[in-house]
Every structure is written in C-alpha cells, then in structure tokens.
Amino acid sequence: MSDPQGPTPCDPPDSATPEPPPGTVDASGSVTVPDSLGRSFWRVWVSSGLSNLADGVLKVALPLAALRFTDSPVLVAGVAVALGLPWLLCALPAGALADRVDRRWAMVGANVVRGAVVLVLALGLALDVGSIWLLYAAAFLIGTTETLYDTSAQSVLPQMVHRDRLSRANGRLYAVELTTNQFVGPPLGGALVAASVALAFVTPAALWVAAVGVLLLVRGRFRVNRTGPPTGIRADIAEGLRYLWSHRLLRSFAVMVGVSNFATSAAFAIMVLYAVGPDSPMGLSEPAFGVLLTATAVGSLLGSFVAEGCERWLGRARSLWLCVPLFALLVLVPGLTSSAWLVGAGFLVGGVGITVWNVITVSLRQRVTPAALMGRVNSAYRLLAWGTMPLGAVTGGLIAESLGVRVVFLSMGVLMLTLLVPLARMDEATLAAGESTVEERGTV
C-alpha cells in the first residue's frame, strides 16, 4: 500500500466519468487537498458498515451455534480456525486477483457469495440437518470470500482519497466498521440466536445484499493500470512478496500484528466457553455475551476519532508504543478476573489501542505501496498478520483443554507485551525514513 511521484496517491480510476481528482495544483505549484472525502468514499463507507454488521452478527452466531453441537473447546475453537484458515491458503491469490480486476466488482462478488453461503447454512439449520461440520464448511467459505473483499476494500481506498487524507479516511472507516462489527452486531447476533439460529444467518445475508446495492452506486472503474508484458499469477504473487519483505517497516509491522493476532485469536476462540452458561466462570447468557463484546467496539469507536489526533500530538512512534499495553488488556484481564465489569473495561481500553494502531499502520502502508502492487502487498501483509489466527485458535483450544482457560488468557497477554521490544527500536525518524525511501524510488 509503482506509480510516478505526484500529487495523487495513485492513478485515477479508469472511467468515462471519473470522480474529481483528490488533489489539485494551484498556480504556485502547491497541492490543495479538499477537506471532503468524496461521494465514492462515503458510499463505500455505508457499504462497509452493512458488510461489517453482517460480520458482527456471525461473530457471535457461529460459536453460539457450535455450542448446540459440542462442548469441546477444541471443536468450538475449530469454527475460528475455519474462518481464519483462508488467510493462510487464499490471501496471496486474492491479492493478485485484486490487482488484476476492478476492485469494486471484486467486493460486490465477494458479498454475493457470502450471502449465498449463509443462506444455505440457515436452510440447513432450519431443516434440522445442521452439524459442526456444516458450520466449519460455511465458516471456511465465508473466510475465503472475506480475503478477497477485505484486500480489495483496503486497496481501493487510495484510489478515492488523497494520501494526506488517508488517516482521516481510515479513521472514519474504522469507526463504522467497528461500531457495526463489534457494537451493534454481537448483541444483535446473540438476540437472534436466542430467537432462532436460522434467523441469525438469514440476517447477515440480507445485510450483504444491501451492501452490494450501495456498492453498485459507486461511480467509475477501479482497475489499476498495469505496464509491461503480461505475467502469471505466480509471478504477480512473488512480486508482492518481494516488495513487502524488502521494506523493513512493512515487514516488521506485519510480523508484530501476526503475533498480536495469534494471541487474540487463541483467547477469543475459547472466550465463549469462559463467558457463556451458568457453569462458566462469568455465567453470562447468550445476549449478555454479545453485549460484553460491544465494550471493545465502544473503545474502538473512541480510538477511531482520536487516532488522527494521537498521530499529530504524540507522533506515530510514541502512539504505537502506547497502544501495545492497551490492547494487551483484551486478553490479560479475563485471566485475572471473571468480573464482567472489569473484563468489559479491559475490552474497552483494548479497543482504543487496537484502532489507533490500525489507523496509523494501515495509512502508512497505503502511502508507501505502489497502486499497482496494493492488492498483492496488502494480501502478503495479511498472510503474515492474519495467517497466524487459525494457528492461534488451535493453540488456544489445546491449551484450554490441557491447562485450563485462564492459562490461555495469561500466556497470550504476556506474549502481546513482548511487542514492546521491537517497537523500542522504532522512532519517528525511522518511520519518516521508511516513507522517504519510497519517495526516492519514485513512488508515493
């Protein structure tokens, strides 16, 4: 996240009626960047909110549905494994595809497939032919299409927004995504499961259909210009991997996020066993569990609005360093107490840290990656960053089975705090040098 250096972050979308350019040059040669993020951005913003509301419902509906078929920590954690496994298997091809096709249409297609999958799952549950294996299959297909949707969505943003507005745009996107995914979606999912498991899967399908309708209103084509002789998928993937691995900042952040996601995935894969049911340590009902997860969304929403200010007032390096102990609380606090109030407070503070981190690092990645490589670099980054999630889910299930649930939370919290060590070697000059190196290569 190679184009010639210029006032815009990438080549404008190919279109007979393109959107106005994100920046204009006045008579003195200086670039004027409008405050408005543009109609295309706000339509993608609405569509993203609908898509993430569907994700938020499924986040609770899938593990709660799994409890109807098994109480094994390993089998329940298998749902999270199935959801995350496509990031190991499909992330790189998804990135290559996002750089070859119109990214908006890739997002449309992914949502159509996801909607169809959950409708089939809802039908199976309604006819009482559901099983844990059907949940695994649906989760894997949903995760596979998610790799294409998320990669395309993150790659299309610099085609709509000037690089100087990327932090603001990412903050607004995180606000709606996290509000719907974590604030509205989980309690809605818990309530829907309590009413009808099938209804809990029909609802996301309807939301994805609505998201597709909004995406169809976005003007223009968002297919990047490719130069040079035609290349195969394997060569395209290799080019993206080389770029990521040669860029020290991107490589370092990808590995750090991978460690963090491993830890959080291990903890949250078995969180439902710790929190839900009269025999669990927290003793929450299904709807109450959904409400608990909204605490992270409240913090994330706050973080989305303060991230730009933190970047400006504290600097990026200091802000990132402060984020680590904040989001470590997400997994540490449940290991120390079963109080829903204290766990919720840890989730809230952790949500702030996660969003500030994401806004800063994603914006940096979008600034330093050439437009033609955006999909491949994003997918390679997420292979390292998100590919650890199924491994974490398996690890969490195995540790919980043998040593207990609390050990998962405590060990993963300590693991997250180790990220402070590599961050101590990154200062503001290091981050600025990473961007200037890209500019010297003739890219933006």
Side-chain angles (χ1 to χ4, degrees), residues 58 61-63 65-70 75 78-80 82-83 114 116-143 197-198 201:
L58 284 178
L62 282 170
L67 288 179
R68 297 176 179 244
F69 302 110
T70 180
L75 292 179
V79 175
L83 271 173
R114 287 197 286 188
V117 169
V118 293
L119 278 179
V120 171
L121 177 59
L123 181 62
L125 294 171
L127 296 175
D128 202 25
V129 294
S131 67
I132 191 69
W133 305 108
L134 180 61
L135 289 179
Y136 289 169
F140 181 81
L141 290 173
I142 292 168
V197 176
F201 294 104

Side-chain angles (χ1 to χ4, degrees), residues 367-389:
R367 291 187 188 105
V368 304
T369 303
L373 283 171
M374 191 74 69
R376 283 167 284 170
V377 171
N378 279 337
S379 64
Y381 186 99
R382 289 192 169 194
L383 175 66
L384 294 175
W386 288 28
T388 59
M389 293 171 68

Side-chain angles (χ1 to χ4, degrees), residues 350-382:
V352 174
I354 286 175
T355 305
V356 173
W357 173 285
N358 283 339
V359 168
I360 293 174
T361 58
V362 170
S363 299
L364 184 146
R365 185 166 81 246
Q366 290 168 336
R367 291 187 188 105
V368 304
T369 303
L373 283 171
M374 191 74 69
R376 283 167 284 170
V377 171
N378 279 337
S379 64
Y381 186 99
R382 289 192 169 194

Side-chain angles (χ1 to χ4, degrees), residues 91-157:
L92 295 178
L97 184 60
D99 284 342
R100 285 171 172 259
V101 302
D102 187 302
R103 290 162 178 167
R104 179 183 64 123
W105 283 108
M107 295 162 67
V108 167
N111 275 350
V112 168
V113 174
R114 287 197 286 188
V117 169
V118 293
L119 278 179
V120 171
L121 177 59
L123 181 62
L125 294 171
L127 296 175
D128 202 25
V129 294
S131 67
I132 191 69
W133 305 108
L134 180 61
L135 289 179
Y136 289 169
F140 181 81
L141 290 173
I142 292 168
T144 299
T145 52
E146 183 181 38
T147 62
L148 180 59
Y149 179 89
D150 285 0
T151 299
S152 300
Q154 203 166 79
S155 302
V156 80
L157 186 60

Side-chain angles (χ1 to χ4, degrees), residues 9-380:
C10 61
D11 292 331
D14 299 326
S15 173
T17 55
E19 294 281 351
T24 57
V25 182
D26 61 22
S28 65
S30 61
V31 179
T32 301
V33 181
D35 289 334
S36 173
L37 296 173
R39 282 193 303 266
S40 291
F41 168 81
W42 287 112
R43 287 168 180 166
V44 169
W45 182 87
V46 171
S47 177
S48 179
L50 293 168
S51 294
N52 278 273
L53 181 56
D55 290 337
V57 171
L58 284 178
K59 178 191 301 183
V60 171
L62 282 170
L64 288 178
L67 288 179
R68 297 176 179 244
F69 302 110
T70 180
D71 59 359
S72 165
V74 172
L75 292 179
V76 171
V79 175
V81 175
L83 271 173
L85 190 59
W87 285 104
L88 275 175
L89 303 179
C90 308
L92 295 178
L97 184 60
D99 284 342
R100 285 171 172 259
V101 302
D102 187 302
R103 290 162 178 167
R104 179 183 64 123
W105 283 108
M107 295 162 67
V108 167
N111 275 350
V112 168
V113 174
R114 287 197 286 188
V117 169
V118 293
L119 278 179
V120 171
L121 177 59
L123 181 62
L125 294 171
L127 296 175
D128 202 25
V129 294
S131 67
I132 191 69
W133 305 108
L134 180 61
L135 289 179
Y136 289 169
F140 181 81
L141 290 173
I142 292 168
T144 299
T145 52
E146 183 181 38
T147 62
L148 180 59
Y149 179 89
D150 285 0
T151 299
S152 300
Q154 203 166 79
S155 302
V156 80
L157 186 60
Q159 292 177 280
M160 299 177 175
V161 179
H162 191 276
R163 61 176 291 166
D164 290 342
R165 292 288 178 264
L166 283 173
S167 291
R168 176 176 296 178
N170 281 308
R172 299 299 179 267
L173 272 178
Y174 276 113
V176 69
E177 289 173 2
L178 294 166
T179 299
T180 53
N181 192 298
Q182 298 181 27
F183 186 69
V184 181
L188 178 59
L192 289 171
V193 169
S196 166
V197 176
L199 182 61
F201 294 104
V202 170
T203 302
L207 290 168
W208 276 320
V209 169
V212 166
V214 177
L215 276 176
L216 293 176
L217 298 176
V218 176
R219 289 173 51 195
R221 296 178 62 238
F222 296 89
R223 184 171 186 164
V224 295
N225 296 323
R226 293 169 63 92
T227 59
T231 57
I233 292 289
R234 184 177 298 180
D236 284 355
I237 291 173
E239 185 180 10
L241 286 170
R242 283 195 301 271
Y243 187 89
L244 174 68
W245 202 252
S246 67
H247 197 290
R248 188 172 70 87
L249 280 181
L250 294 183
R251 182 180 70 241
S252 299
F253 284 134
V255 172
M256 283 188 278
V257 175
V259 171
S260 175
N261 284 342
F262 176 91
T264 54
S265 184
F268 280 89
I270 47 85
M271 186 69 194
V272 67
L273 295 170
Y274 185 74
V276 177
D279 297 328
S280 67
M282 296 184 69
L284 299 178
S285 65
E286 293 173 341
F289 177 59
V291 172
L292 174 67
L293 296 182
T294 64
T296 307
V298 174
S300 299
L301 182 61
L302 293 173
S304 68
F305 288 107
V306 304
E308 191 178 6
C310 289
E311 185 176 335
R312 184 169 59 251
W313 301 324
L314 298 177
R316 289 178 295 183
R318 189 176 291 114
S319 296
L320 292 174
W321 196 91
L322 290 174
C323 285
V324 172
L326 295 184
F327 57 65
L329 292 176
L330 276 170
V331 294
L332 267 178
V333 174
L336 301 174
T337 178
S338 59
S339 166
W341 292 103
L342 292 178
V343 171
F347 284 5
L348 187 147
V349 174
V352 174
I354 286 175
T355 305
V356 173
W357 173 285
N358 283 339
V359 168
I360 293 174
T361 58
V362 170
S363 299
L364 184 146
R365 185 166 81 246
Q366 290 168 336
R367 291 187 188 105
V368 304
T369 303
L373 283 171
M374 191 74 69
R376 283 167 284 170
V377 171
N378 279 337
S379 64

